[in-house]
Amino acid sequence: MASLLEVSNLKTHFFTPDGVVKAVDGISYEVAEGEVVGIVGESGCGKSVGAMSIMRLVASPPGRIVDGEVIFEGEDLVQMDDKEMRDIRGNRIAMVFQEPMTSLNPVLTIGRQLTETLELHQNMNKSEANQRAAELLTMVGIPDAERRLVDYPHQFSGGMRQRVMIAMALSCNPKLIIADEPTTALDVTIQAQILELMQELSKDLGTALIIITHNLGVVARYADRVLVMYAGKIVETATAVELYTNPRHPYTLALLNSVPRLDSSEARVRLDAIEGLPPDLGNLPAGCSFAPRCKFAVDACLSSDPVLREVESNHHSACIRVEEIEEFSSKVATG
């Protein structure tokens, strides 16, 4: 499949009175047309800042993209001016944020918030925009769509508000949707409904989808390929199946060991916590950032900062002890 998005050596830093915080520190990846890519990692690892950098929504000051390229359909978004980016946002790239109540305007009707984008980017008149808005609400499973256009966000449940956000994201038929923790504020039943909806719409419309989450179950079920982030960097990439059956980085292995397994052969399995805390991104340790918390760390890990390298076909890891970890990952795969 052809690459729709190519992120190359992207670095986004925050310049604060206490120093430079390297929130995103040289990440590179691609997203193909129609592909679903999951980005997973602990809170504070740089997942959301990386997504906001693609959309050029990082607040400046204090944040700034200091290096790298974000090539979307052959154009570098980093080099675009504000007017050019406004034509991209919501039109060719859309974003679904994690808390719909803070993303929707409480004093505007749902209909107006949908039609505004359609009038701006699709040059529709009021009647055409209203008709399209009703079609979008129906598409995302909101009943009696025409009547609900005059309702306000507080008149919708949390799940329905998130469906509205998805409708807004789809309104201009974007090539790429970035969903930043789209189900965090929802209960588990509604989470499944929203994710199934997004996956179904992605397949039906051929829209590429980036799902940012800390939920390993989400990426296992819905992503074609997974990027694992830690301390502002990508430490492992693979297909979802390969990552879960053959993790090749200690951090990925630790994440998998920290969640319950329904396919475990043992009746009771003690879950392993990842000891310690994520590093201070304003004062990163020398060498591998995960080394202070890693059970496999050796002296070389404290001085060598490993780069992402291919360890198998379409499987990359940033660890100098990949070979030793392979035998441990096989145990995880078998429970």
Side-chain angles (χ1 to χ4, degrees):
M1 290 186 289
S3 291
L4 176 69
L5 176 73
E6 298 178 35
V7 177
S8 178
N9 195 38
L10 180 64
K11 296 182 180 181
T12 302
H13 297 173
F14 289 83
F15 297 84
T16 73
D18 296 324
V20 179
V21 177
K22 299 178 180 180
V24 174
D25 195 20
I27 63 173
S28 300
Y29 64 93
E30 297 181 4
V31 179
E33 295 180 4
E35 185 180 25
V36 179
V37 174
I39 302 180
V40 66
E42 292 173 285
S43 296
C45 70
K47 306 185 301 296
S48 294
V49 174
M52 299 289 275
S53 299
I54 292 173
M55 299 290 284
R56 293 269 303 278
L57 291 174
V58 175
S60 177
R64 190 167 79 242
I65 297 174
V66 298
D67 197 8
E69 296 178 329
V70 179
I71 307 298
F72 178 72
E73 294 189 313
E75 301 176 279
D76 188 359
L77 304 185
V78 174
Q79 301 301 323
M80 287 186 175
D81 59 31
D82 290 342
K83 182 180 183 303
E84 290 172 318
M85 277 306 303
R86 283 195 296 272
D87 291 336
I88 294 286
R89 295 189 201 108
N91 187 20
R92 292 160 60 190
I93 304 178
M95 195 161 185
V96 178
F97 296 94
Q98 60 180 290
E99 179 44 71
M101 199 58 192
T102 59
S103 303
L104 294 168
N105 190 325
V107 300
L108 293 179
T109 65
I110 292 299
R112 182 54 192 144
Q113 294 185 64
L114 280 164
T115 57
E116 183 178 28
T117 302
L118 293 167
E119 292 171 7
L120 176 65
H121 291 301
Q122 302 294 302
N123 297 318
M124 292 184 179
N125 59 38
K126 186 176 181 180
S127 176
E128 292 170 335
N130 277 323
Q131 181 178 349
R132 176 59 176 162
E135 291 173 357
L136 288 164
L137 291 186
T138 300
M139 185 188 301
V140 298
I142 294 179
D144 201 6
E146 289 190 21
R147 184 181 65 81
R148 299 308 302 269
L149 287 175
V150 298
D151 288 343
Y152 291 85
H154 72 271
Q155 295 174 278
F156 287 70
S157 67
M160 287 297 183
R161 285 195 292 266
Q162 196 60 291
R163 288 173 185 267
V164 171
M165 291 298 297
I166 295 170
M168 292 176 68
L170 293 169
S171 60
C172 296
N173 301 312
K175 292 292 187 70
L176 172 66
I177 294 177
I178 302 172
D180 185 8
E181 300 276 10
T183 61
T184 296
L186 307 176
D187 64 62
V188 290
T189 303
I190 303 302
Q191 283 183 22
Q193 293 176 6
I194 294 297
L195 290 165
E196 292 284 355
L197 172 65
M198 294 186 70
Q199 185 186 49
E200 182 181 333
L201 291 172
S202 175
K203 289 181 178 179
D204 291 346
L205 302 174
T207 303
L209 178 62
I210 296 176
I211 300 178
I212 299 168
T213 183
H214 61 270
N215 188 328
L216 292 168
V218 167
V219 294
R221 182 174 177 85
Y222 299 103
D224 300 315
R225 192 159 48 89
V226 183
L227 316 177
V228 182
M229 285 192 68
Y230 185 80
K233 297 182 179 181
I234 295 172
V235 297
E236 187 168 9
T237 71
T239 64
V241 173
E242 174 70 10
L243 189 86
Y244 277 77
T245 58
N246 186 26
R248 303 295 295 275
H249 192 280
Y251 179 57
T252 308
L253 193 60
L255 287 176
L256 292 174
N257 272 334
S258 67
V259 296
R261 295 280 301 253
L262 296 178
D263 60 348
S264 175
S265 58
E266 299 179 35
R268 296 191 179 193
V269 179
R270 181 180 178 85
L271 301 180
D272 295 330
I274 304 176
E275 296 181 358
L277 296 172
D280 178 1
L281 297 181
N283 185 26
L284 290 169
C288 175
S289 298
F290 188 61
R293 308 172 71 189
C294 181
K295 297 178 180 179
F296 304 96
V298 294
D299 289 345
C301 298
L302 301 176
S303 58
S304 172
D305 187 9
V307 297
L308 203 62
R309 62 186 177 93
E310 189 170 54
V311 293
E312 290 182 11
S313 178
N314 297 317
H315 193 160
H316 297 73
S317 176
C319 179
I320 64 173
R321 302 200 67 196
V322 167
E323 289 73 19
E324 293 93 332
I325 290 164
E326 185 175 10
E327 61 179 280
F328 291 93
S329 67
S330 63
K331 295 179 183 179
V332 175
T334 57

